[in-house]
Amino acid sequence: MGSSSTTGVFEVILSDKLRILPNLMELKSEFVPFFVEEQIVGYVHKGFVEHLRKFNDVITVSLGNNGRNFGEHITLHPSLRAPDDRTIAVGNIIKCLGELIPGIRNELYPVTSSYGMPVFFSLERAAAPYFGIKAYGVHMNGYVEKDGQKFLWIGKRSDTKPTFPGMLDHLVAGGLPYGITCKENVIKECEEEAGIPRSISNNAIPVGAVSYTDIEGYRYKRDVLFCYDLRLPADFIPKNEDGEVDSFRLVPVSHVANIIQTTEFFKQNCNLVIIDFLFRHGYINPDSCGYLQLLQSLRSGDCS
């Protein structure tokens, strides 16, 4: 990968991050903390809070400071002590809100203060950003080496997907539901999304994590992505099994970087994981302009 192409990746991505940061901070002021058992588990838009007020047997809206110098915040009704009871009660709210939360997946995400901590209750995946909870996922770089050059398998999402239809995506990626380990989730997604058998996917290597924050309307996404690399046999051809991927293409890594630099074709969170791949595999090096700034930006998120 030439230095000019690498420098371009730096400049575009870094400038974009710097450009949106002030606006993001301003948007955060429109959200109030969501407490469970004295722990902040999420952030809810003030406008969305108004839709929750009528469910006062489940959600309590408080104006006090909760002992932490906060103004308005929400919490669960004190009668809801057991995780299962909380899950059912909040799930009923989501059903009542109907089209206010589109794209119901019937898949539960754990609600915790941080990864690996006790689970307070489980929440419908589609509702996660509306309650601003931490959500976790796995993204796997499936790559091939031929004649000393690395290639990445890239998927094109189905046009019928409710989210990001038709956009470019990783070979394998998926949210982390409640009750499954990251490794088992990678193996499951490998089989469903790309037809990769366990005998191969079991070799996927965990290589770290990246995180990002995104705010749009009532939605506050706070996602952590666990990153994996899997070197695939040169003759392996992926085959989608769940109908969520339209096609796959094997692309030289340098060309993938150029797509990120010059287009908006990739699903946004994939950019972070691929940039991380570029760092770790030496496509971005310390002699490149902006190296430390971009590395710091990539690592500055909350991976808790």
Side-chain angles (χ1 to χ4, degrees):
M1 183 176 180
S3 61
S4 61
S5 180
T6 302
T7 301
V9 173
F10 280 146
E11 292 173 347
V12 170
I13 294 172
L14 185 57
S15 64
D16 279 353
K17 285 179 179 292
L18 292 175
R19 177 176 58 79
I20 67 172
L21 184 58
N23 188 42
L24 191 62
M25 297 301 292
E26 180 182 332
L27 291 172
K28 283 183 179 180
S29 66
E30 295 298 314
F31 290 77
V32 301
F34 176 22
F35 283 93
V36 179
E37 296 184 15
E38 300 296 311
Q39 298 289 319
I40 294 180
V41 298
Y43 295 89
V44 182
H45 193 278
K46 293 175 183 177
F48 192 73
V49 169
E50 294 307 308
H51 293 282
L52 298 178
R53 284 183 184 274
K54 60 185 176 183
F55 303 102
N56 54 18
D57 57 336
V58 178
I59 301 291
T60 300
V61 180
S62 301
L63 298 177
N65 63 22
N66 204 42
R68 300 188 179 213
N69 297 320
F70 280 114
E72 185 177 15
H73 61 275
I74 70 168
T75 187
L76 295 179
H77 193 278
S79 65
L80 297 170
R81 297 183 177 276
D84 287 349
D85 292 340
R86 295 166 175 168
T87 298
I88 293 170
V90 177
N92 287 336
I93 289 179
I94 293 166
K95 291 177 183 176
C96 290
L97 292 176
E99 293 183 1
L100 193 62
I101 302 178
I104 298 299
R105 306 284 287 271
N106 295 314
E107 181 179 333
L108 295 176
Y109 273 5
V111 178
T112 69
S113 58
S114 60
Y115 187 72
M117 297 302 288
V119 176
F120 296 121
F121 67 100
S122 300
L123 180 68
E124 157 63 39
R125 175 175 178 171
Y130 292 90
F131 287 85
I133 70 164
K134 275 289 189 71
Y136 302 89
V138 295
H139 277 235
M140 192 190 80
N141 301 291
Y143 71 98
V144 169
E145 291 193 23
K146 294 181 180 180
D147 301 323
Q149 185 178 6
K150 288 188 176 78
F151 298 75
L152 278 168
W153 276 108
I154 301 299
K156 180 179 180 293
R157 294 166 69 87
S158 169
D159 289 332
T160 61
K161 286 275 288 182
T163 56
F164 309 103
M167 298 195 76
L168 299 184
D169 205 339
H170 274 98
L171 174 65
V172 170
L176 186 64
Y178 181 52
I180 185 172
T181 66
C182 285
K183 185 59 178 287
E184 281 300 318
N185 199 33
V186 168
I187 291 172
K188 177 180 75 72
E189 296 288 350
C190 275
E191 183 175 359
E192 292 176 356
E193 295 193 347
I196 303 174
R198 180 180 285 262
S199 59
I200 295 178
S201 62
N202 200 48
N203 296 320
I205 300 172
V207 292
V210 296
S211 68
Y212 68 97
T213 299
D214 187 33
I215 293 175
E216 182 181 359
Y218 288 167
R219 295 159 49 86
Y220 189 163
K221 287 179 67 68
R222 300 191 302 139
D223 290 2
V224 176
L225 308 177
F226 294 102
C227 306
Y228 285 76
D229 282 358
L230 176 61
R231 182 176 176 178
L232 291 159
D235 60 353
F236 176 78
I237 305 295
K239 180 183 178 183
N240 181 243
E241 303 288 349
D242 62 7
E244 295 189 356
V245 181
D246 179 69
S247 60
F248 294 103
R249 230 181 123 189
L250 189 61
V251 184
V253 172
S254 57
H255 291 186
V256 174
N258 188 56
I259 293 170
I260 292 174
Q261 175 188 349
T262 60
T263 76
E264 300 292 332
F265 293 161
F266 268 102
K267 185 166 165 279
Q268 287 185 336
N269 59 4
C270 296
N271 292 335
L272 295 176
V273 181
I274 293 173
I275 298 274
D276 176 69
F277 182 91
L278 296 176
F279 269 110
R280 292 184 292 98
H281 289 259
Y283 289 86
I284 300 176
N285 61 69
D287 294 323
S288 304
C289 177
Y291 178 85
L292 289 177
Q293 288 172 292
L294 182 56
L295 184 62
Q296 183 182 30
S297 182
L298 188 67
R299 305 291 184 222
S300 64
D302 179 10
C303 283
S304 64

